[in-house]
Amino acid sequence: MFEIFKDNNEWNEKAIVGFVAFALMVVVMLVDTVSGAVGKDLIINEKWLNELKALIKNALESEKFKIYESADVKGVEYAGALKNIYAICCGIGDKLDVGENAIVLIITRSMTEMSKFAVHKGANPITFLGLAGMGDLVATCTSKLSRNFSLGRRLAKGDSLEEAKAAIGQVAEGVRTLEVVYKEANDNNLAMPLVNALHKIVFENANPNILMDDLISHPDHLDVEFAGGIGNE
């Protein structure tokens, strides 16, 4: 979104707010957190930047609603989009009853893939250690309130993509995001085994069991790749 604003010379009056919450929870005012990213690198007027951040906080914060700041606009936006792919993966794992340890493996390798892709697009990998990254990922990957998690469960049950989407009755953004990320990753030789396996399941009717099989058999051997600036070993 920020790229659209920038291309149209409209960015200097905009800020991005990423919600680490489900819509239902926001409505009923449970305690939620938000990571708001303001494009500091694109804004010259520091005074205006501080005023904008104060305006957002004053408008949205309350006793039960907390906002945290980030200057990494790209990171916050990519984190919010990419996590939906991996919620589908976790929904599949949950329905297949792969076990808690395997779900943890999926989530942590999801974080690796997310940060790798985002760095490729110019984001800061550290952003993915915070609420916009790990916080939103864990929430979306472990809750039946998540549309994408629910879609994964339906796919693992044996539903076709169309049947799963109809059963949910709402848009699961991870499907379209998967198409885009799969193409970008393969065009640029980015190792993303979860994305590749999920693409086979969703669009090629592959057996959902390949999700864990492909992850375990993939030659990845480093735990935290971005910390050392390492790409596809």
PDB file of all heavy atoms in Angstrom, residues 176-214:
ATOM      1  N   ARG A 176      -4.579 -15.835  -2.305  1.00  0.00           N
ATOM      2  CA  ARG A 176      -4.029 -14.941  -3.328  1.00  0.00           C
ATOM      3  C   ARG A 176      -2.587 -14.559  -2.995  1.00  0.00           C
ATOM      4  O   ARG A 176      -1.726 -14.507  -3.884  1.00  0.00           O
ATOM      5  CB  ARG A 176      -4.895 -13.688  -3.450  1.00  0.00           C
ATOM      6  CG  ARG A 176      -4.348 -12.645  -4.420  1.00  0.00           C
ATOM      7  CD  ARG A 176      -4.104 -13.214  -5.798  1.00  0.00           C
ATOM      8  NE  ARG A 176      -3.512 -12.225  -6.703  1.00  0.00           N
ATOM      9  CZ  ARG A 176      -2.795 -12.531  -7.778  1.00  0.00           C
ATOM     10  NH1 ARG A 176      -2.568 -13.801  -8.097  1.00  0.00           N
ATOM     11  NH2 ARG A 176      -2.310 -11.568  -8.540  1.00  0.00           N
ATOM     12  N   THR A 177      -2.312 -14.320  -1.722  1.00  0.00           N
ATOM     13  CA  THR A 177      -0.944 -13.989  -1.317  1.00  0.00           C
ATOM     14  C   THR A 177       0.007 -15.130  -1.659  1.00  0.00           C
ATOM     15  O   THR A 177       1.142 -14.909  -2.095  1.00  0.00           O
ATOM     16  CB  THR A 177      -0.877 -13.701   0.193  1.00  0.00           C
ATOM     17  OG1 THR A 177      -1.853 -12.720   0.529  1.00  0.00           O
ATOM     18  CG2 THR A 177       0.501 -13.194   0.591  1.00  0.00           C
ATOM     19  N   LEU A 178      -0.442 -16.362  -1.470  1.00  0.00           N
ATOM     20  CA  LEU A 178       0.363 -17.533  -1.799  1.00  0.00           C
ATOM     21  C   LEU A 178       0.760 -17.536  -3.270  1.00  0.00           C
ATOM     22  O   LEU A 178       1.921 -17.815  -3.605  1.00  0.00           O
ATOM     23  CB  LEU A 178      -0.419 -18.801  -1.458  1.00  0.00           C
ATOM     24  CG  LEU A 178       0.189 -20.138  -1.883  1.00  0.00           C
ATOM     25  CD1 LEU A 178       1.517 -20.372  -1.167  1.00  0.00           C
ATOM     26  CD2 LEU A 178      -0.782 -21.275  -1.615  1.00  0.00           C
ATOM     27  N   GLU A 179      -0.173 -17.238  -4.154  1.00  0.00           N
ATOM     28  CA  GLU A 179       0.131 -17.205  -5.590  1.00  0.00           C
ATOM     29  C   GLU A 179       1.248 -16.215  -5.904  1.00  0.00           C
ATOM     30  O   GLU A 179       2.191 -16.527  -6.635  1.00  0.00           O
ATOM     31  CB  GLU A 179      -1.116 -16.834  -6.382  1.00  0.00           C
ATOM     32  CG  GLU A 179      -2.218 -17.853  -6.393  1.00  0.00           C
ATOM     33  CD  GLU A 179      -3.359 -17.432  -7.288  1.00  0.00           C
ATOM     34  OE1 GLU A 179      -4.241 -16.689  -6.816  1.00  0.00           O
ATOM     35  OE2 GLU A 179      -3.368 -17.828  -8.473  1.00  0.00           O
ATOM     36  N   VAL A 180       1.135 -15.016  -5.334  1.00  0.00           N
ATOM     37  CA  VAL A 180       2.097 -13.955  -5.612  1.00  0.00           C
ATOM     38  C   VAL A 180       3.469 -14.294  -5.034  1.00  0.00           C
ATOM     39  O   VAL A 180       4.496 -14.162  -5.715  1.00  0.00           O
ATOM     40  CB  VAL A 180       1.595 -12.613  -5.041  1.00  0.00           C
ATOM     41  CG1 VAL A 180       2.649 -11.528  -5.202  1.00  0.00           C
ATOM     42  CG2 VAL A 180       0.286 -12.213  -5.707  1.00  0.00           C
ATOM     43  N   VAL A 181       3.491 -14.740  -3.785  1.00  0.00           N
ATOM     44  CA  VAL A 181       4.763 -15.036  -3.119  1.00  0.00           C
ATOM     45  C   VAL A 181       5.443 -16.242  -3.756  1.00  0.00           C
ATOM     46  O   VAL A 181       6.675 -16.258  -3.929  1.00  0.00           O
ATOM     47  CB  VAL A 181       4.533 -15.278  -1.611  1.00  0.00           C
ATOM     48  CG1 VAL A 181       5.801 -15.790  -0.932  1.00  0.00           C
ATOM     49  CG2 VAL A 181       4.063 -13.984  -0.952  1.00  0.00           C
ATOM     50  N   TYR A 182       4.676 -17.244  -4.120  1.00  0.00           N
ATOM     51  CA  TYR A 182       5.247 -18.432  -4.773  1.00  0.00           C
ATOM     52  C   TYR A 182       5.987 -18.042  -6.044  1.00  0.00           C
ATOM     53  O   TYR A 182       7.121 -18.485  -6.285  1.00  0.00           O
ATOM     54  CB  TYR A 182       4.136 -19.429  -5.093  1.00  0.00           C
ATOM     55  CG  TYR A 182       4.583 -20.626  -5.907  1.00  0.00           C
ATOM     56  CD1 TYR A 182       5.197 -21.717  -5.294  1.00  0.00           C
ATOM     57  CD2 TYR A 182       4.380 -20.663  -7.291  1.00  0.00           C
ATOM     58  CE1 TYR A 182       5.599 -22.815  -6.047  1.00  0.00           C
ATOM     59  CE2 TYR A 182       4.784 -21.749  -8.039  1.00  0.00           C
ATOM     60  CZ  TYR A 182       5.396 -22.823  -7.420  1.00  0.00           C
ATOM     61  OH  TYR A 182       5.808 -23.911  -8.166  1.00  0.00           O
ATOM     62  N   LYS A 183       5.375 -17.221  -6.882  1.00  0.00           N
ATOM     63  CA  LYS A 183       6.009 -16.798  -8.136  1.00  0.00           C
ATOM     64  C   LYS A 183       7.253 -15.961  -7.865  1.00  0.00           C
ATOM     65  O   LYS A 183       8.313 -16.178  -8.467  1.00  0.00           O
ATOM     66  CB  LYS A 183       5.025 -16.013  -8.990  1.00  0.00           C
ATOM     67  CG  LYS A 183       5.586 -15.619 -10.354  1.00  0.00           C
ATOM     68  CD  LYS A 183       4.573 -14.869 -11.179  1.00  0.00           C
ATOM     69  CE  LYS A 183       5.076 -14.625 -12.601  1.00  0.00           C
ATOM     70  NZ  LYS A 183       6.393 -13.964 -12.665  1.00  0.00           N
ATOM     71  N   GLU A 184       7.135 -15.013  -6.950  1.00  0.00           N
ATOM     72  CA  GLU A 184       8.275 -14.140  -6.636  1.00  0.00           C
ATOM     73  C   GLU A 184       9.438 -14.931  -6.065  1.00  0.00           C
ATOM     74  O   GLU A 184      10.598 -14.714  -6.431  1.00  0.00           O
ATOM     75  CB  GLU A 184       7.832 -13.063  -5.639  1.00  0.00           C
ATOM     76  CG  GLU A 184       8.929 -12.110  -5.202  1.00  0.00           C
ATOM     77  CD  GLU A 184       9.179 -10.985  -6.187  1.00  0.00           C
ATOM     78  OE1 GLU A 184       8.397 -10.845  -7.148  1.00  0.00           O
ATOM     79  OE2 GLU A 184      10.161 -10.247  -5.990  1.00  0.00           O
ATOM     80  N   ALA A 185       9.148 -15.866  -5.172  1.00  0.00           N
ATOM     81  CA  ALA A 185      10.197 -16.659  -4.535  1.00  0.00           C
ATOM     82  C   ALA A 185      10.915 -17.537  -5.551  1.00  0.00           C
ATOM     83  O   ALA A 185      12.156 -17.630  -5.553  1.00  0.00           O
ATOM     84  CB  ALA A 185       9.609 -17.520  -3.419  1.00  0.00           C
ATOM     85  N   ASN A 186      10.162 -18.177  -6.428  1.00  0.00           N
ATOM     86  CA  ASN A 186      10.785 -19.061  -7.413  1.00  0.00           C
ATOM     87  C   ASN A 186      11.508 -18.284  -8.507  1.00  0.00           C
ATOM     88  O   ASN A 186      12.538 -18.742  -9.020  1.00  0.00           O
ATOM     89  CB  ASN A 186       9.732 -19.997  -8.008  1.00  0.00           C
ATOM     90  CG  ASN A 186       9.382 -21.133  -7.062  1.00  0.00           C
ATOM     91  OD1 ASN A 186      10.060 -22.153  -7.021  1.00  0.00           O
ATOM     92  ND2 ASN A 186       8.333 -20.960  -6.272  1.00  0.00           N
ATOM     93  N   ASP A 187      11.007 -17.112  -8.855  1.00  0.00           N
ATOM     94  CA  ASP A 187      11.689 -16.281  -9.844  1.00  0.00           C
ATOM     95  C   ASP A 187      13.021 -15.765  -9.319  1.00  0.00           C
ATOM     96  O   ASP A 187      13.925 -15.455 -10.099  1.00  0.00           O
ATOM     97  CB  ASP A 187      10.815 -15.083 -10.234  1.00  0.00           C
ATOM     98  CG  ASP A 187       9.644 -15.477 -11.126  1.00  0.00           C
ATOM     99  OD1 ASP A 187       9.635 -16.624 -11.618  1.00  0.00           O
ATOM    100  OD2 ASP A 187       8.745 -14.636 -11.325  1.00  0.00           O
ATOM    101  N   ASN A 188      13.145 -15.666  -7.988  1.00  0.00           N
ATOM    102  CA  ASN A 188      14.350 -15.097  -7.382  1.00  0.00           C
ATOM    103  C   ASN A 188      15.138 -16.104  -6.542  1.00  0.00           C
ATOM    104  O   ASN A 188      15.996 -15.712  -5.747  1.00  0.00           O
ATOM    105  CB  ASN A 188      13.966 -13.892  -6.522  1.00  0.00           C
ATOM    106  CG  ASN A 188      13.468 -12.733  -7.361  1.00  0.00           C
ATOM    107  OD1 ASN A 188      14.251 -11.946  -7.871  1.00  0.00           O
ATOM    108  ND2 ASN A 188      12.148 -12.629  -7.517  1.00  0.00           N
ATOM    109  N   ASN A 189      14.852 -17.393  -6.720  1.00  0.00           N
ATOM    110  CA  ASN A 189      15.610 -18.460  -6.063  1.00  0.00           C
ATOM    111  C   ASN A 189      15.625 -18.321  -4.544  1.00  0.00           C
ATOM    112  O   ASN A 189      16.659 -18.506  -3.899  1.00  0.00           O
ATOM    113  CB  ASN A 189      17.047 -18.508  -6.600  1.00  0.00           C
ATOM    114  CG  ASN A 189      17.760 -19.790  -6.231  1.00  0.00           C
ATOM    115  OD1 ASN A 189      17.144 -20.849  -6.126  1.00  0.00           O
ATOM    116  ND2 ASN A 189      19.067 -19.703  -6.016  1.00  0.00           N
ATOM    117  N   LEU A 190      14.472 -17.986  -3.963  1.00  0.00           N
ATOM    118  CA  LEU A 190      14.357 -17.913  -2.516  1.00  0.00           C
ATOM    119  C   LEU A 190      13.850 -19.261  -1.996  1.00  0.00           C
ATOM    120  O   LEU A 190      12.807 -19.750  -2.449  1.00  0.00           O
ATOM    121  CB  LEU A 190      13.374 -16.815  -2.103  1.00  0.00           C
ATOM    122  CG  LEU A 190      13.721 -15.383  -2.509  1.00  0.00           C
ATOM    123  CD1 LEU A 190      12.598 -14.437  -2.100  1.00  0.00           C
ATOM    124  CD2 LEU A 190      15.030 -14.937  -1.882  1.00  0.00           C
ATOM    125  N   ALA A 191      14.569 -19.864  -1.075  1.00  0.00           N
ATOM    126  CA  ALA A 191      14.176 -21.162  -0.536  1.00  0.00           C
ATOM    127  C   ALA A 191      13.026 -20.989   0.449  1.00  0.00           C
ATOM    128  O   ALA A 191      13.211 -20.467   1.540  1.00  0.00           O
ATOM    129  CB  ALA A 191      15.374 -21.827   0.153  1.00  0.00           C
ATOM    130  N   MET A 192      11.832 -21.432   0.055  1.00  0.00           N
ATOM    131  CA  MET A 192      10.645 -21.301   0.903  1.00  0.00           C
ATOM    132  C   MET A 192       9.845 -22.603   0.801  1.00  0.00           C
ATOM    133  O   MET A 192       8.811 -22.674   0.124  1.00  0.00           O
ATOM    134  CB  MET A 192       9.814 -20.089   0.472  1.00  0.00           C
ATOM    135  CG  MET A 192      10.585 -18.775   0.546  1.00  0.00           C
ATOM    136  SD  MET A 192       9.643 -17.300   0.039  1.00  0.00           S
ATOM    137  CE  MET A 192       8.503 -17.115   1.412  1.00  0.00           C
ATOM    138  N   PRO A 193      10.308 -23.660   1.473  1.00  0.00           N
ATOM    139  CA  PRO A 193       9.662 -24.977   1.340  1.00  0.00           C
ATOM    140  C   PRO A 193       8.203 -25.011   1.771  1.00  0.00           C
ATOM    141  O   PRO A 193       7.406 -25.752   1.182  1.00  0.00           O
ATOM    142  CB  PRO A 193      10.530 -25.887   2.216  1.00  0.00           C
ATOM    143  CG  PRO A 193      11.306 -24.978   3.108  1.00  0.00           C
ATOM    144  CD  PRO A 193      11.506 -23.722   2.324  1.00  0.00           C
ATOM    145  N   LEU A 194       7.812 -24.244   2.777  1.00  0.00           N
ATOM    146  CA  LEU A 194       6.413 -24.229   3.185  1.00  0.00           C
ATOM    147  C   LEU A 194       5.532 -23.623   2.092  1.00  0.00           C
ATOM    148  O   LEU A 194       4.440 -24.143   1.801  1.00  0.00           O
ATOM    149  CB  LEU A 194       6.243 -23.462   4.495  1.00  0.00           C
ATOM    150  CG  LEU A 194       6.705 -24.178   5.756  1.00  0.00           C
ATOM    151  CD1 LEU A 194       6.695 -23.225   6.948  1.00  0.00           C
ATOM    152  CD2 LEU A 194       5.822 -25.394   6.047  1.00  0.00           C
ATOM    153  N   VAL A 195       5.989 -22.550   1.494  1.00  0.00           N
ATOM    154  CA  VAL A 195       5.249 -21.926   0.391  1.00  0.00           C
ATOM    155  C   VAL A 195       5.122 -22.898  -0.770  1.00  0.00           C
ATOM    156  O   VAL A 195       4.043 -23.058  -1.368  1.00  0.00           O
ATOM    157  CB  VAL A 195       5.940 -20.621  -0.055  1.00  0.00           C
ATOM    158  CG1 VAL A 195       5.427 -20.177  -1.431  1.00  0.00           C
ATOM    159  CG2 VAL A 195       5.697 -19.514   0.954  1.00  0.00           C
ATOM    160  N   ASN A 196       6.216 -23.572  -1.116  1.00  0.00           N
ATOM    161  CA  ASN A 196       6.188 -24.503  -2.239  1.00  0.00           C
ATOM    162  C   ASN A 196       5.231 -25.668  -1.981  1.00  0.00           C
ATOM    163  O   ASN A 196       4.456 -26.069  -2.864  1.00  0.00           O
ATOM    164  CB  ASN A 196       7.596 -25.027  -2.524  1.00  0.00           C
ATOM    165  CG  ASN A 196       8.504 -23.955  -3.105  1.00  0.00           C
ATOM    166  OD1 ASN A 196       8.022 -22.994  -3.707  1.00  0.00           O
ATOM    167  ND2 ASN A 196       9.796 -24.103  -2.919  1.00  0.00           N
ATOM    168  N   ALA A 197       5.290 -26.228  -0.773  1.00  0.00           N
ATOM    169  CA  ALA A 197       4.419 -27.357  -0.446  1.00  0.00           C
ATOM    170  C   ALA A 197       2.952 -26.924  -0.431  1.00  0.00           C
ATOM    171  O   ALA A 197       2.078 -27.632  -0.946  1.00  0.00           O
ATOM    172  CB  ALA A 197       4.817 -27.958   0.900  1.00  0.00           C
ATOM    173  N   LEU A 198       2.680 -25.768   0.162  1.00  0.00           N
ATOM    174  CA  LEU A 198       1.293 -25.295   0.236  1.00  0.00           C
ATOM    175  C   LEU A 198       0.742 -25.013  -1.149  1.00  0.00           C
ATOM    176  O   LEU A 198      -0.439 -25.272  -1.423  1.00  0.00           O
ATOM    177  CB  LEU A 198       1.206 -24.048   1.117  1.00  0.00           C
ATOM    178  CG  LEU A 198      -0.208 -23.536   1.386  1.00  0.00           C
ATOM    179  CD1 LEU A 198      -1.046 -24.609   2.088  1.00  0.00           C
ATOM    180  CD2 LEU A 198      -0.173 -22.254   2.213  1.00  0.00           C
ATOM    181  N   HIS A 199       1.567 -24.485  -2.025  1.00  0.00           N
ATOM    182  CA  HIS A 199       1.125 -24.221  -3.394  1.00  0.00           C
ATOM    183  C   HIS A 199       0.702 -25.523  -4.073  1.00  0.00           C
ATOM    184  O   HIS A 199      -0.307 -25.567  -4.798  1.00  0.00           O
ATOM    185  CB  HIS A 199       2.250 -23.546  -4.184  1.00  0.00           C
ATOM    186  CG  HIS A 199       1.811 -22.981  -5.505  1.00  0.00           C
ATOM    187  ND1 HIS A 199       1.759 -23.746  -6.662  1.00  0.00           N
ATOM    188  CD2 HIS A 199       1.376 -21.733  -5.855  1.00  0.00           C
ATOM    189  CE1 HIS A 199       1.341 -22.988  -7.662  1.00  0.00           C
ATOM    190  NE2 HIS A 199       1.087 -21.778  -7.204  1.00  0.00           N
ATOM    191  N   LYS A 200       1.439 -26.605  -3.851  1.00  0.00           N
ATOM    192  CA  LYS A 200       1.075 -27.905  -4.424  1.00  0.00           C
ATOM    193  C   LYS A 200      -0.261 -28.384  -3.866  1.00  0.00           C
ATOM    194  O   LYS A 200      -1.096 -28.923  -4.589  1.00  0.00           O
ATOM    195  CB  LYS A 200       2.163 -28.935  -4.113  1.00  0.00           C
ATOM    196  CG  LYS A 200       3.492 -28.687  -4.790  1.00  0.00           C
ATOM    197  CD  LYS A 200       4.519 -29.721  -4.325  1.00  0.00           C
ATOM    198  CE  LYS A 200       5.905 -29.413  -4.863  1.00  0.00           C
ATOM    199  NZ  LYS A 200       6.925 -30.358  -4.323  1.00  0.00           N
ATOM    200  N   ILE A 201      -0.467 -28.183  -2.568  1.00  0.00           N
ATOM    201  CA  ILE A 201      -1.707 -28.634  -1.920  1.00  0.00           C
ATOM    202  C   ILE A 201      -2.904 -27.832  -2.427  1.00  0.00           C
ATOM    203  O   ILE A 201      -3.949 -28.398  -2.776  1.00  0.00           O
ATOM    204  CB  ILE A 201      -1.588 -28.505  -0.391  1.00  0.00           C
ATOM    205  CG1 ILE A 201      -0.502 -29.449   0.138  1.00  0.00           C
ATOM    206  CG2 ILE A 201      -2.919 -28.795   0.288  1.00  0.00           C
ATOM    207  CD1 ILE A 201      -0.119 -29.183   1.588  1.00  0.00           C
ATOM    208  N   VAL A 202      -2.751 -26.513  -2.478  1.00  0.00           N
ATOM    209  CA  VAL A 202      -3.879 -25.636  -2.812  1.00  0.00           C
ATOM    210  C   VAL A 202      -4.216 -25.668  -4.297  1.00  0.00           C
ATOM    211  O   VAL A 202      -5.390 -25.735  -4.679  1.00  0.00           O
ATOM    212  CB  VAL A 202      -3.575 -24.183  -2.366  1.00  0.00           C
ATOM    213  CG1 VAL A 202      -4.665 -23.225  -2.863  1.00  0.00           C
ATOM    214  CG2 VAL A 202      -3.469 -24.107  -0.845  1.00  0.00           C
ATOM    215  N   PHE A 203      -3.183 -25.633  -5.147  1.00  0.00           N
ATOM    216  CA  PHE A 203      -3.424 -25.456  -6.578  1.00  0.00           C
ATOM    217  C   PHE A 203      -3.153 -26.700  -7.426  1.00  0.00           C
ATOM    218  O   PHE A 203      -3.491 -26.711  -8.614  1.00  0.00           O
ATOM    219  CB  PHE A 203      -2.577 -24.294  -7.103  1.00  0.00           C
ATOM    220  CG  PHE A 203      -2.930 -22.977  -6.475  1.00  0.00           C
ATOM    221  CD1 PHE A 203      -2.053 -22.360  -5.590  1.00  0.00           C
ATOM    222  CD2 PHE A 203      -4.136 -22.362  -6.752  1.00  0.00           C
ATOM    223  CE1 PHE A 203      -2.377 -21.143  -5.000  1.00  0.00           C
ATOM    224  CE2 PHE A 203      -4.466 -21.139  -6.165  1.00  0.00           C
ATOM    225  CZ  PHE A 203      -3.586 -20.535  -5.292  1.00  0.00           C
ATOM    226  N   GLU A 204      -2.545 -27.726  -6.831  1.00  0.00           N
ATOM    227  CA  GLU A 204      -2.238 -28.930  -7.606  1.00  0.00           C
ATOM    228  C   GLU A 204      -2.851 -30.182  -6.979  1.00  0.00           C
ATOM    229  O   GLU A 204      -2.540 -31.302  -7.375  1.00  0.00           O
ATOM    230  CB  GLU A 204      -0.720 -29.087  -7.741  1.00  0.00           C
ATOM    231  CG  GLU A 204      -0.037 -27.897  -8.415  1.00  0.00           C
ATOM    232  CD  GLU A 204       1.478 -27.982  -8.372  1.00  0.00           C
ATOM    233  OE1 GLU A 204       2.010 -29.113  -8.403  1.00  0.00           O
ATOM    234  OE2 GLU A 204       2.132 -26.926  -8.307  1.00  0.00           O
ATOM    235  N   ASN A 205      -3.704 -29.974  -5.981  1.00  0.00           N
ATOM    236  CA  ASN A 205      -4.406 -31.077  -5.327  1.00  0.00           C
ATOM    237  C   ASN A 205      -3.467 -32.141  -4.749  1.00  0.00           C
ATOM    238  O   ASN A 205      -3.793 -33.337  -4.736  1.00  0.00           O
ATOM    239  CB  ASN A 205      -5.382 -31.743  -6.312  1.00  0.00           C
ATOM    240  CG  ASN A 205      -6.473 -30.791  -6.767  1.00  0.00           C
ATOM    241  OD1 ASN A 205      -7.042 -30.052  -5.968  1.00  0.00           O
ATOM    242  ND2 ASN A 205      -6.746 -30.784  -8.067  1.00  0.00           N
ATOM    243  N   ALA A 206      -2.321 -31.710  -4.265  1.00  0.00           N
ATOM    244  CA  ALA A 206      -1.381 -32.642  -3.639  1.00  0.00           C
ATOM    245  C   ALA A 206      -1.907 -33.080  -2.271  1.00  0.00           C
ATOM    246  O   ALA A 206      -2.723 -32.400  -1.649  1.00  0.00           O
ATOM    247  CB  ALA A 206      -0.010 -31.999  -3.492  1.00  0.00           C
ATOM    248  N   ASN A 207      -1.419 -34.225  -1.804  1.00  0.00           N
ATOM    249  CA  ASN A 207      -1.792 -34.731  -0.483  1.00  0.00           C
ATOM    250  C   ASN A 207      -1.304 -33.761   0.596  1.00  0.00           C
ATOM    251  O   ASN A 207      -0.123 -33.393   0.604  1.00  0.00           O
ATOM    252  CB  ASN A 207      -1.164 -36.112  -0.267  1.00  0.00           C
ATOM    253  CG  ASN A 207      -1.691 -36.791   0.980  1.00  0.00           C
ATOM    254  OD1 ASN A 207      -1.812 -36.185   2.041  1.00  0.00           O
ATOM    255  ND2 ASN A 207      -1.996 -38.075   0.865  1.00  0.00           N
ATOM    256  N   PRO A 208      -2.163 -33.324   1.513  1.00  0.00           N
ATOM    257  CA  PRO A 208      -1.740 -32.369   2.555  1.00  0.00           C
ATOM    258  C   PRO A 208      -0.567 -32.849   3.403  1.00  0.00           C
ATOM    259  O   PRO A 208       0.138 -32.028   3.994  1.00  0.00           O
ATOM    260  CB  PRO A 208      -3.002 -32.207   3.406  1.00  0.00           C
ATOM    261  CG  PRO A 208      -4.123 -32.499   2.477  1.00  0.00           C
ATOM    262  CD  PRO A 208      -3.611 -33.586   1.571  1.00  0.00           C
ATOM    263  N   ASN A 209      -0.327 -34.150   3.441  1.00  0.00           N
ATOM    264  CA  ASN A 209       0.794 -34.675   4.231  1.00  0.00           C
ATOM    265  C   ASN A 209       2.152 -34.223   3.714  1.00  0.00           C
ATOM    266  O   ASN A 209       3.145 -34.295   4.434  1.00  0.00           O
ATOM    267  CB  ASN A 209       0.735 -36.202   4.264  1.00  0.00           C
ATOM    268  CG  ASN A 209      -0.371 -36.715   5.162  1.00  0.00           C
ATOM    269  OD1 ASN A 209      -0.383 -36.488   6.364  1.00  0.00           O
ATOM    270  ND2 ASN A 209      -1.345 -37.399   4.568  1.00  0.00           N
ATOM    271  N   ILE A 210       2.193 -33.736   2.461  1.00  0.00           N
ATOM    272  CA  ILE A 210       3.490 -33.303   1.931  1.00  0.00           C
ATOM    273  C   ILE A 210       3.993 -32.059   2.656  1.00  0.00           C
ATOM    274  O   ILE A 210       5.184 -31.744   2.571  1.00  0.00           O
ATOM    275  CB  ILE A 210       3.444 -33.031   0.417  1.00  0.00           C
ATOM    276  CG1 ILE A 210       2.629 -31.754   0.108  1.00  0.00           C
ATOM    277  CG2 ILE A 210       2.927 -34.224  -0.353  1.00  0.00           C
ATOM    278  CD1 ILE A 210       2.827 -31.245  -1.299  1.00  0.00           C
ATOM    279  N   LEU A 211       3.110 -31.357   3.360  1.00  0.00           N
ATOM    280  CA  LEU A 211       3.544 -30.146   4.068  1.00  0.00           C
ATOM    281  C   LEU A 211       4.683 -30.463   5.027  1.00  0.00           C
ATOM    282  O   LEU A 211       5.744 -29.824   4.989  1.00  0.00           O
ATOM    283  CB  LEU A 211       2.371 -29.525   4.816  1.00  0.00           C
ATOM    284  CG  LEU A 211       2.668 -28.179   5.489  1.00  0.00           C
ATOM    285  CD1 LEU A 211       2.718 -27.068   4.448  1.00  0.00           C
ATOM    286  CD2 LEU A 211       1.614 -27.845   6.541  1.00  0.00           C
ATOM    287  N   MET A 212       4.472 -31.438   5.900  1.00  0.00           N
ATOM    288  CA  MET A 212       5.512 -31.825   6.851  1.00  0.00           C
ATOM    289  C   MET A 212       6.618 -32.626   6.173  1.00  0.00           C
ATOM    290  O   MET A 212       7.794 -32.456   6.492  1.00  0.00           O
ATOM    291  CB  MET A 212       4.904 -32.637   7.996  1.00  0.00           C
ATOM    292  CG  MET A 212       4.052 -31.826   8.953  1.00  0.00           C
ATOM    293  SD  MET A 212       4.906 -30.410   9.695  1.00  0.00           S
ATOM    294  CE  MET A 212       6.284 -31.222  10.517  1.00  0.00           C
ATOM    295  N   ASP A 213       6.243 -33.480   5.229  1.00  0.00           N
ATOM    296  CA  ASP A 213       7.252 -34.298   4.550  1.00  0.00           C
ATOM    297  C   ASP A 213       8.284 -33.425   3.839  1.00  0.00           C
ATOM    298  O   ASP A 213       9.499 -33.646   3.950  1.00  0.00           O
ATOM    299  CB  ASP A 213       6.580 -35.235   3.536  1.00  0.00           C
ATOM    300  CG  ASP A 213       5.695 -36.277   4.190  1.00  0.00           C
ATOM    301  OD1 ASP A 213       5.853 -36.497   5.416  1.00  0.00           O
ATOM    302  OD2 ASP A 213       4.847 -36.864   3.488  1.00  0.00           O
ATOM    303  N   ASP A 214       7.810 -32.415   3.104  1.00  0.00           N
ATOM    304  CA  ASP A 214       8.718 -31.541   2.359  1.00  0.00           C
ATOM    305  C   ASP A 214       9.546 -30.670   3.299  1.00  0.00           C
ATOM    306  O   ASP A 214      10.711 -30.374   3.015  1.00  0.00           O
ATOM    307  CB  ASP A 214       7.931 -30.655   1.393  1.00  0.00           C
ATOM    308  CG  ASP A 214       7.413 -31.420   0.184  1.00  0.00           C
ATOM    309  OD1 ASP A 214       7.514 -32.664   0.194  1.00  0.00           O
ATOM    310  OD2 ASP A 214       6.908 -30.779  -0.749  1.00  0.00           O
TER     311      ASP A 214
END
